[in-house]
Amino acid sequence: MPSAAMAPSAIRKPQRVMARRSSRPATVATRSYLFNRSVRSTPYRIKRASAQTLHFENGWNVLDASGGAAVTGIGHLSTRVEQVMIKTLKRGIAYISSMMFDTDVAEDFARFLITTTDGKMTRAVFYSSGTEANEAAYKVALQYHATEKANPEPTRTLFIARDRSYHGTTLGALDMSGHKARRELYERVLPHNTHHISPCYAYRGLQTGESVAEYVTRLKNELEQKIQDLGPKNVAAFICEPVVGAALGCVPAEAGYLAAMREVCDRYGILLIFDEVMCGMGRTGYLHAWQKEGVAPDIQTVGKGLAGGFQQLSAMLVSPKVNDAFEYGPGSGAFSHGHTFQNYPLACAAGLEVQKIIQEENLLQNVKEKGFRLSKSLKKRLSNHRHVGDIRGAGLFWGIEFVKDKQTMEPFPADMKINWRIYEKGLAPPYEIHVYPGMGTADGVNGDHIILSPSYNITDTEIDAIVDRVARLIEDYFDTLDVPATP
């Protein structure tokens, strides 16, 4: 699962930031009262946003090619979403406690989401962030095995996830994550009941002479071996992103991979969780990323694009198998978990309207068409660049991985902060382009990528502008970078 980019404080010292931002009005205070990701620097101030552009206080007009962290789906302005939110506020139901009450709008949105899965999922619950949704998935998997089944198996408390994955910031979700850099500070207090296997990452994982089918089989065998090593009756669930977001930079599962994981999980009675917080809700050209191969999970989480940034909103969807264990099983039927802002009506109103717009304006088709144009143009412009190792993705979700040596795929060392420096350079003129930076691509620590994930209603002209600006940014950056030869 993805999250906002981590801004290394080491490269954001106050004196550098102030020197670079001398174009800011003198009246702007240099001290921030926000406890930001880096307390030693002041983030850029956004004055307003139009459809696909961020208008900075310092006068820059930045084309938003990443939608934050792949959040923005229909641009930054929508009269329809604004009006439905105002209507909800005027009804006086901006907030209702979900412990005792329900609302039409939350029920309507749940029905909408479940209907789009063609019966593969059967109930939904709404939270405020992808992390919260994955924490709920973690808990529902434990409770499913422990109390709600006809034959309870309380020993199933372990999870299997993949290296270089990201599922959230809370301790449970972070424990499932395989992103070394984001885990490092908290390793001492993590539950450590998640065990990690290799990602499905053909660029670095596919062996010489190995077919994709053979690669998938090898990964399938690795999952099965991990289950046997841990004890089949000890594993609750396997979680993965159908298209890996922030941790790997838009790496799609290879053909047959999701089906292979499904088969292994079914054989051992393990729940399959798909984290679609970053790659779901239309980002790949399918409303649910798993629909491309028709392999449905037992538990699914979505977020980011669910409400397109107009409200903070995520959801967990459960399959009939999971729901039936609670509804008809021997337990109380209660899911022992909840949040103050669960099923938040105002957020559900915004999210439902965003999804209606996506559906009514046929934006999933636009994602496929513009995604093809984006990928084709990126590859034409950058595939032969000496420091571009791989360009991969799906729909409007594309990653560009940078390497020090194109032949050996050697990454740049982490302390060079290539991803972050490209990101920062891109914001300023003459580029004025917003990309999403990622690190740890190669081994969890070293390796750099950027993500391009523009809005679903992007135009051909805007796609061409993104490609031109990103290509010039990358070319200019590496033209001025002194890269020492590999010994």
Side-chain angles (χ1 to χ4, degrees):
M1 160 176 180
S3 102
M6 300 176 69
S9 60
I11 71 168
R12 300 199 58 148
K13 297 182 184 299
Q15 58 268 31
R16 287 193 61 230
V17 173
M18 293 309 298
R20 186 182 67 241
R21 302 183 190 180
S22 58
S23 60
R24 275 192 171 190
T27 55
V28 176
T30 58
R31 182 180 187 275
S32 174
Y33 292 89
L34 293 170
F35 194 71
N36 285 311
R37 293 169 189 268
S38 172
V39 299
R40 295 181 179 179
S41 65
T42 303
Y44 292 106
R45 183 70 55 82
I46 304 295
K47 185 177 181 180
R48 65 184 180 88
S50 53
Q52 313 294 347
T53 304
L54 302 172
H55 303 281
F56 284 41
E57 194 176 58
N58 63 10
W60 297 348
N61 297 298
V62 177
L63 180 57
D64 190 359
S66 72
V71 172
T72 306
I74 60 170
H76 292 282
L77 287 174
S78 171
T79 301
R80 282 183 56 175
V81 177
E82 176 186 346
Q83 289 175 343
V84 79
M85 290 175 66
I86 292 172
K87 182 179 178 180
T88 304
L89 286 170
K90 285 184 175 180
R91 291 173 61 196
I93 56 169
Y95 170 75
I96 297 293
S97 172
S98 65
M99 181 181 293
M100 297 165 284
F101 308 113
D102 203 351
T103 60
D104 288 344
V105 68
E107 181 64 41
D108 290 345
F109 198 13
R111 183 187 304 111
F112 175 93
L113 283 182
I114 295 306
T115 299
T116 63
T117 71
D118 296 321
K120 298 296 191 299
M121 312 304 283
T122 192
R123 286 184 189 252
V125 56
F126 299 100
Y127 301 112
S128 297
S129 70
T131 292
E132 289 182 9
N134 280 327
E135 192 81 13
Y138 182 100
K139 287 186 175 181
V140 79
L142 291 174
Q143 191 173 339
Y144 168 85
H145 288 296
T147 63
E148 301 300 338
K149 295 170 61 179
N151 298 300
E153 298 175 296
T155 58
R156 290 186 181 265
T157 59
L158 303 180
F159 289 77
I160 298 175
R162 303 188 301 185
D163 189 24
R164 281 160 287 170
S165 60
Y166 185 63
H167 301 294
T169 59
T170 54
L171 295 181
L174 189 60
D175 189 46
M176 290 192 292
S177 303
H179 196 297
K180 293 180 182 178
R182 297 185 183 188
R183 290 173 58 102
E184 183 178 12
L185 184 62
Y186 304 102
E187 283 290 354
R188 294 172 298 168
V189 296
L190 292 178
H192 292 292
N193 67 338
T194 299
H195 300 260
H196 295 86
I197 59 175
S198 302
C200 185
Y201 180 22
Y203 174 63
R204 292 187 179 276
L206 189 67
Q207 297 175 354
T208 302
E210 186 178 40
S211 69
V212 169
E214 291 168 338
Y215 178 47
V216 168
T217 297
R218 179 158 58 87
L219 295 175
K220 175 183 177 181
N221 292 339
E222 184 181 354
L223 173 61
E224 186 163 19
Q225 185 61 55
K226 179 63 72 173
I227 292 169
Q228 293 180 357
D229 291 345
L230 296 174
K233 296 298 184 181
N234 295 326
V235 181
F238 168 65
I239 183 171
C240 71
E241 301 161 89
V243 183
V244 184
L248 275 183
C250 307
V251 175
E254 295 295 328
Y257 175 83
L258 298 181
M261 300 300 104
R262 172 83 269 178
E263 181 184 336
V264 174
C265 288
D266 287 345
R267 187 183 311 147
Y268 290 94
I270 293 167
L271 295 179
L272 177 61
I273 304 172
F274 284 166
D275 174 353
E276 295 200 6
V277 169
M278 201 169 192
C279 68
M281 302 315 300
R283 178 57 60 187
T284 65
Y286 297 84
L287 196 62
H288 307 286
W290 56 260
Q291 288 177 320
K292 181 179 181 181
E293 291 197 26
V295 180
D298 298 304
I299 304 169
Q300 177 186 355
T301 57
V302 294
K304 300 190 185 298
L306 186 61
F310 289 95
Q311 281 281 285
Q312 56 273 39
L313 187 66
S314 66
M316 177 182 70
L317 287 67
V318 297
S319 68
K321 177 174 75 175
V322 173
N323 177 74
D324 289 354
F326 282 79
E327 187 169 0
Y328 305 112
S332 65
F335 175 33
S336 184
H337 177 73
H339 287 275
T340 299
F341 293 100
Q342 182 170 313
N343 298 337
Y344 183 44
L346 187 61
C348 288
L352 180 55
E353 196 65 21
V354 166
Q355 294 305 317
K356 285 181 178 178
I357 291 170
I358 291 171
Q359 188 177 70
E360 293 167 12
E361 297 184 5
N362 199 25
L363 293 186
L364 293 184
Q365 183 61 32
N366 197 58
V367 170
K368 293 175 182 177
E369 293 174 359
K370 299 306 185 287
F372 177 78
R373 186 183 187 93
L374 176 62
S375 63
K376 183 179 179 181
S377 299
L378 284 174
K379 290 175 181 177
K380 181 178 180 180
R381 184 75 179 266
L382 291 169
S383 284
N384 294 325
H385 191 282
R386 65 192 184 281
H387 293 303
V388 172
D390 192 31
I391 301 172
R392 67 293 184 113
L396 285 173
F397 197 41
W398 286 86
I400 303 173
E401 181 172 345
F402 305 110
V403 292
K404 182 180 178 182
D405 188 301
K406 199 176 182 77
Q407 300 304 314
T408 65
M409 299 185 291
E410 178 189 359
F412 287 99
D415 59 11
M416 290 186 70
K417 301 177 176 67
I418 297 294
N419 69 87
W420 190 261
R421 295 183 189 279
I422 289 175
Y423 162 75
E424 286 201 309
K425 183 179 181 70
L427 292 176
Y431 315 103
E432 292 181 298
I433 188 78
H434 180 219
V435 300
Y436 182 90
M439 60 184 183
T441 323
D443 58 16
V445 176
N446 302 295
D448 302 270
H449 66 262
I450 59 171
I451 290 175
L452 304 178
S453 48
S455 294
Y456 306 167
N457 55 358
I458 199 87
T459 65
D460 285 344
T461 300
E462 290 163 337
I463 287 289
D464 294 344
I466 288 172
V467 172
D468 178 64
R469 296 187 196 192
V470 168
R472 286 191 291 111
L473 167 64
I474 292 170
E475 291 162 355
D476 292 353
Y477 175 79
F478 285 111
D479 281 347
T480 59
L481 181 69
D482 183 17
V483 182
T486 302

